[in-house]
Amino acid sequence: MRLPTGLDQAKFDTVCTALRKIVGENWVVTAEDRLSAYDDPYSPGLSSDFLPSGAISPANIDELKSILRTATQYGVPVWSISIGRNYAYGGAAPCLSGSMILDLNRMQAIEANEELAYAFVEPGVTYVTLYKYLQDKRQKLWIDCTDPGWGSVLGNALERGVGYTPFGDHAAQLCGLEVMLANGEVIRTGMGAMEASRTWPLYKGAFGPSLDGLFLQSNFGVVTKAGIWLMPEPESFSAVELTFPREDDIVGAVDALRPLRLDGTVPTATIANWMRIAAANTTRAEWYDGKGAMPREAIEKLIGKMGIGHWNMRFGLYGRPKVVAENLKAVQKAFAKIERVDFAITGYHKGETVRPEHRSLAGIPSVELMPLNWLGGAGAHIECPPVVPMVGKEVFELYRRRSELFNTHGFDHYCGLTTTSPRSFINTGSIIFDRNDFAQCKQARELGAALIEDAKVMGLGGYRGHISEMDLIARQFAFNDHASMRVNEQLKDCLDPEGILSPGKQGIWPKRLRESGKDEAK
Amino acid sequence: MRLPTGLDQAKFDTVCTALRKIVGENWVVTAEDRLSAYDDPYSPGLSSDFLPSGAISPANIDELKSILRTATQYGVPVWSISIGRNYAYGGAAPCLSGSMILDLNRMQAIEANEELAYAFVEPGVTYVTLYKYLQDKRQKLWIDCTDPGWGSVLGNALERGVGYTPFGDHAAQLCGLEVMLANGEVIRTGMGAMEASRTWPLYKGAFGPSLDGLFLQSNFGVVTKAGIWLMPEPESFSAVELTFPREDDIVGAVDALRPLRLDGTVPTATIANWMRIAAANTTRAEWYDGKGAMPREAIEKLIGKMGIGHWNMRFGLYGRPKVVAENLKAVQKAFAKIERVDFAITGYHKGETVRPEHRSLAGIPSVELMPLNWLGGAGAHIECPPVVPMVGKEVFELYRRRSELFNTHGFDHYCGLTTTSPRSFINTGSIIFDRNDFAQCKQARELGAALIEDAKVMGLGGYRGHISEMDLIARQFAFNDHASMRVNEQLKDCLDPEGILSPGKQGIWPKRLRESGKDEAK
């Protein structure tokens, strides 16, 4: 356990006493064993660099306001989490050791509207909770969820997470935020800035500037509630699965997909290389026992035995059956150009039971975490995904460069491509390691940094990053001598002058911790 | 002509001399006759309250930077316009008299990419220019335009303007902004914050907060360039026109439309009442010569003679012919429930000539301004549109209340409903008057204020407003004792501490002009 910078134990105890008066005894945690719930379970050997001093859970925004007042008074930074399931990116752990976790999971209100297809959610609402709520009320609305669905709907949307249905761009479904600023002021964005607003969750604009974006991947405020658009249950959907046998098939596959994404035929899609399928279902030891990255022959053997493609694409088509059928024809025509492509199509009518493997395409959350355990031991992974244009040759170039980096660092190349946005992919690439293996942890960190540096050479920026990589990624956004970060810092100083909210998130540090300060603080 | 507050003529001449050194003699205007180009042509008798002191047009961002430095040095506020065709909302005229118009129309670069369906545009690019550019290069991309198409693509998107195709939510198509802040610093948002970024116009997110929304309907910076998503030319489209005979048909029409908008069958739609059609094609004198609002019998007679509906809905369906045909069936089925509904459907295959009345549905800009001249004289109009939920009974209630207000103020009720966002309408309602008629101007202003006040009673906020109404509308966003405006003001002070950029826009005033200051300044 670490104390907040500048506080001794006695002072910290005083703070905790004050905080307990706000939320009650049970909702302030400082003892080591209970704090471990906030560890990053996938930390690449850096747990001790990202330790909270404690955790506090408000029940409502009044308590939250008092917490922020106390935190400001004593100079205690708080690291906001909704549920803390931000696995691969740091979990619940703070960028700045000694921060107190501000755990919002007790705030769990839901209010859904079937007619206008939206819900209001508080930070503690998980995908599973929201799904069950809609089922219980028999509201014919779909959610879009991550896999697994145990995380916070709001938290994931704020981090710009993605899912698998037409509503897979989670940040794009946000409509109306309620935000508490560091000074305790509550604002509502967009139409919510009007009292008794009828259109807060219905129209994304504001009169004047839109402030919503300020609170994505951000430490400018604490989001306490959001409107989120939901999808009316479609009359039918078809799960479409395509496999492509050869590594360089990705060029044709991407170029065939692009027009279908741009004209809306395919509402979103994910593409997985062999390793993404293999790592989700097997361990490496089942296939190969040598050191270093698996050689090409072993990969080919795995592909053959598992009956998968080097590339595996998956998406849903949704709507009235005849429209789905027409769209399916267009899909088949577009991909038929690629040699040895294989199609699997599974159709579902409204009300039919969806097979487990297609549930994420229908917004049905799974509750199981499938740990990636490719290398054996205690499986963990980190991510540092770049965004890449949806152009076959550019995706393939990135793939080859990343393959080389994965392999030279001793890892097999795990590659996922997600296009919830129609002109680009988010290229996830789990670096899987045994978190109890010190050497592997170090290699994973080095690979992470190398991937980030290499993406920059290609003009590709990061979509998200592990807490240990946030400064590195942020520094790459260097246009006009880092003008963007200068403005972020100006805004940080404006909205959170004492710098108590989530210091260091996405590389944004408060004034007192900039430059040497932030390293010193660790 | 007004001088900037605090400057005498000699000082102002010094400023103009300095500015002429930056942009050349021809690009600084101060003489009355040439300045009149920046008048609000639709001002409701308030021209003399919104007078610029001069105008300056930079050729590029280097000149812009020097202009902002000089403006800051002498305390001269500048009112940014792209082209200044913000008719009905103030045109090119500034909120604060004495501001210099910062006219960006000379910056006209375009760069389009067919493969990934986007363009970069500078502020001076009009819909017509962009359309011709794509035609000349034979790039198979559609634009979405307002009607007429003489305005700035970028300017309209920043004001959250709307059009008629699936890409009709103009702000939603923005992807990547280049912005100059008051201090001359240039930032690029999102992925553009990376040098030589490959994905700036392709992915809307950033690493960290999204700053784009800060520059919509805003005076926080000057947007000098933007990426904008374009629509690949569809294989076919059908123009669908429905008319509904009775006033209360709007309830059923809206409720039938909603599910089709929510599931994406209908990509956007506009609904016009009888008056919107009549005013675009005739004058009132052709129908009625009494004083006050036209009585019901005269309206019914007009409807019969013109062969229109009390309500007239219009939208396009786009895509492969068989998909369009299926969607058309769903549309017909949904609206067939409404008695005496009339359908007109016109299909177009790729490459076919589109009839003039359907061009806006195909993103083909018209170059003619059709002045609304309902009352004769010098036709002008102002707008103060609220956003209303897409629920039949709520729309009808708003319509009836607005009808009453229009009528008691002596006007006929002009009503347009646009749903580029799937859960709500923007309810335009042109208040048409003869700008040379002092009494009519006064009535128009009073009606505008009454409509805004009444919308608030219903919990409905403004989408946009005339420069003379911006303070009134902004004050209505009063949640938590105007917390939203307090934050806007904090941000204004942070990003433009000298308050030189477009003071008063959307009710946001710089520190020195807040409270009494802003009235004094007029």
Side-chain angles (χ1 to χ4, degrees), chain B residues 262-276:
Chain B
L262 288 173
D263 73 7
T265 303
V266 175
T268 184
T270 51
I271 307 175
N273 77 339
W274 63 272
M275 161 75 171
R276 193 169 173 224

Side-chain angles (χ1 to χ4, degrees), chain A residues 4-324:
Chain A
T5 310
L7 266 68
D8 60 19
Q9 187 65 50
K11 197 70 179 263
F12 184 64
D13 291 344
T14 308
V15 174
C16 290
T17 303
L19 292 175
R20 287 196 173 94
K21 280 192 188 138
I22 298 167
V23 295
E25 282 297 320
N26 289 334
W27 301 109
V28 174
V29 174
T30 55
E32 290 288 354
D33 57 337
R34 289 177 60 209
L35 259 188
S36 66
Y38 297 99
D39 278 356
D40 175 7
Y42 292 170
S43 181
L46 299 172
S47 287
S48 57
D49 289 341
F50 299 95
L51 281 182
S53 56
I56 179 161
S57 301
N60 52 51
I61 62 169
D62 291 332
E63 291 185 3
L64 176 59
K65 187 171 183 168
S66 301
I67 291 168
L68 296 187
R69 192 185 304 122
T70 303
T72 303
Q73 184 186 343
Y74 293 96
V76 175
V78 294
W79 178 262
S80 315
I81 64 167
S82 299
I83 305 274
R85 296 284 159 80
N86 200 19
Y87 285 18
Y89 301 111
C95 271
L96 177 67
S97 274
S99 300
M100 280 194 87
I101 304 297
L102 178 58
D103 180 349
L104 303 170
N105 88 79
R106 292 172 68 201
M107 296 170 62
Q108 299 182 356
I110 305 177
E111 181 197 325
N113 182 307
E114 185 178 13
E115 187 175 49
L116 288 160
Y118 72 85
F120 276 117
V121 292
E122 289 187 342
V125 176
T126 68
Y127 294 109
V128 172
T129 324
L130 180 57
Y131 178 79
K132 287 190 174 154
Y133 174 97
L134 296 170
Q135 294 287 107
D136 289 350
K137 303 239 171 201
R138 300 184 193 286
Q139 296 190 330
K140 299 290 183 197
L141 297 172
W142 277 17
I143 67 166
D144 183 286
C145 56
T146 55
D147 193 9
W150 63 357
S152 161
V153 175
L154 176 50
N156 187 271
L158 293 176
E159 294 297 314
R160 300 198 186 88
V162 297
Y164 304 92
T165 79
F167 283 51
D169 180 348
H170 292 171
Q173 310 314 325
L174 290 170
C175 185
L177 301 182
E178 180 182 82
V179 185
M180 187 175 288
L181 300 177
N183 63 3
E185 183 102 293
V186 176
I187 60 167
R188 289 181 173 174
T189 63
M191 291 290 133
M194 171 171 273
E195 278 164 343
S197 171
R198 287 282 310 129
T199 54
W200 187 21
L202 305 180
Y203 174 74
K204 291 181 186 174
F207 186 76
S210 293
L211 304 185
D212 311 70
L214 287 181
F215 305 104
L216 298 176
Q217 291 188 2
S218 158
N219 56 12
F220 295 164
V222 181
V223 181
T224 53
K225 181 175 171 175
I228 190 147
W229 286 359
L230 301 174
M231 178 171 155
E233 183 181 19
E235 282 191 28
S236 73
F237 88 97
S238 282
V240 182
E241 291 160 295
L242 295 88
T243 55
F244 306 92
R246 296 182 325 202
E247 191 182 48
D248 62 1
D249 284 338
I250 191 66
V251 179
V254 167
D255 291 336
L257 177 62
R258 186 181 53 250
L260 300 169
R261 278 296 286 121
L262 287 173
D263 75 7
T265 303
V266 174
T268 183
T270 51
I271 307 175
N273 76 340
W274 64 271
M275 160 77 171
R276 194 170 171 219
I277 312 285
N281 299 284
T282 68
T283 60
R284 183 178 135 114
E286 299 171 40
W287 305 105
Y288 183 69
D289 60 5
K291 290 265 173 204
M294 269 173 67
R296 185 168 291 270
E297 309 76 59
I299 294 172
E300 292 302 333
K301 201 170 150 194
L302 176 155
I303 287 173
K305 283 243 180 172
M306 287 192 79
I308 61 176
H310 192 101
W311 294 102
N312 308 268
M313 189 189 292
R314 218 168 83 104
F315 53 83
L317 298 173
Y318 305 82
R320 286 179 295 280
K322 285 187 181 168
V323 171
V324 170

Side-chain angles (χ1 to χ4, degrees), chain B residues 375-387:
Chain B
L375 298 181
H381 64 280
I382 55 171
E383 297 275 355
C384 43
V387 179

